Amino acid sequence: MIIPQETINELKRAAAGTGYSCWISVIAEKQGILTHELPSISKPSNNPADISRKLNARIAPLGWHIVKRIKTRPNESWAWYLLPIESEVQA
């Protein structure tokens, strides 16, 4: 799914102040990015799930959310997607 740059910019503005708004661009550009790849794009965090909850609280009113899915095994890195709320990850 290609997300228009205007939409990405709007979502980043909504996520401003979290310290992780850049995750919006990276996840949009690389749908399915793995958890262990995310901390290298901004300030480190040992709790990416909490960050996604904070981001989702800001972007959900705009009709978007970050979805995490198991890509291999539950104890390995999960894949992250930026999707419209009514969408699901395609297998």
Side-chain angles (χ1 to χ4, degrees):
M1 160 187 263
I2 296 174
I3 303 170
Q5 188 61 47
E6 182 178 313
T7 300
I8 293 169
N9 293 342
E10 185 178 355
L11 296 173
K12 285 178 67 175
R13 281 191 296 276
T18 62
Y20 294 94
S21 61
C22 65
W23 284 29
I24 301 291
S25 296
V26 173
I27 295 169
E29 290 170 15
K30 187 177 179 187
Q31 296 281 3
I33 189 170
L34 298 177
T35 301
H36 70 274
E37 297 172 316
L38 287 169
S40 65
I41 63 171
S42 66
K43 62 184 180 179
S45 171
N46 62 353
N47 194 348
D50 185 53
I51 293 166
S52 70
R53 282 189 291 276
K54 288 176 184 174
L55 292 173
N56 280 339
R58 303 260 187 124
I59 66 175
L62 300 174
W64 290 82
H65 64 159
I66 294 171
V67 178
K68 300 172 293 296
R69 294 286 181 251
I70 297 171
K71 192 156 187 155
T72 54
R73 295 184 299 212
N75 61 340
E76 293 181 348
S77 283
W78 287 37
W80 295 57
Y81 302 86
L82 181 63
L83 300 170
I85 288 177
E86 68 275 359
S87 297
E88 275 300 317
V89 175
Q90 299 299 314

